[in-house]
Amino acid sequence: MQDVTIRHNPERQRFEVLTGGNVIGKAVYKEYDAGGSPQRIFYHTVINEEYGGQGLAGKLVKAALGETVDEGRAIVPVCPFIKKYLRKHPEYAAAAVATTLAHLEFLDAASAARA
């Protein structure tokens, strides 16, 4: 496999895994402000099937969560992969907040606005 790069693409609200200049995976989020408490709601993580089983999703999520914490944002895990990762990596526990109905309604409204 060619070199793999992980980058933050804030314009598209996602972290990306690239190889050979092509996006082969992403962790998608929405920014959310909980009354002065900035949060990043992670709702979808995917790696292209042909690149599965190489640990790329874990590397992607580690970079995404690390940058989120470094920016002073809380992590809101809606994505099942992110939830699973957080259970295995307690070092992020202090930065994670429970998903609420308000978070889910915000995601629904954002999705409806795109449609």
Side-chain angles (χ1 to χ4, degrees):
M1 178 192 296
Q2 300 175 14
D3 289 332
V4 172
T5 304
I6 297 174
R7 73 175 177 201
H8 186 193
N9 186 340
E11 294 80 27
R12 300 199 68 183
Q13 294 192 52
R14 66 189 195 185
F15 289 83
E16 302 169 333
V17 179
L18 298 97
T19 185
N22 297 312
V23 176
I24 62 166
K26 58 192 173 188
V28 188
Y29 64 85
K30 288 288 182 193
E31 299 289 4
Y32 182 79
D33 186 353
S37 174
Q39 300 177 349
R40 190 166 278 159
I41 305 171
F42 286 94
Y43 65 92
H44 183 62
T45 303
V46 64
I47 299 293
N48 291 3
E49 187 175 339
E50 62 269 25
Y51 295 98
Q54 299 178 38
L56 296 175
K59 291 176 184 176
L60 171 63
V61 169
K62 180 179 180 179
L65 298 185
E67 185 169 323
T68 298
V69 171
D70 289 347
E71 291 175 0
R73 299 180 186 283
I75 300 162
V76 182
V78 173
C79 167
F81 188 86
I82 300 279
K83 287 180 184 181
K84 182 178 174 182
Y85 188 91
L86 288 171
R87 283 193 298 272
K88 293 181 178 182
H89 296 273
E91 63 269 26
Y92 297 105
V97 298
T99 304
T100 66
L101 181 58
H103 292 124
L104 298 176
E105 289 173 343
F106 176 78
L107 288 175
D108 282 346
S111 178
R114 285 190 315 230

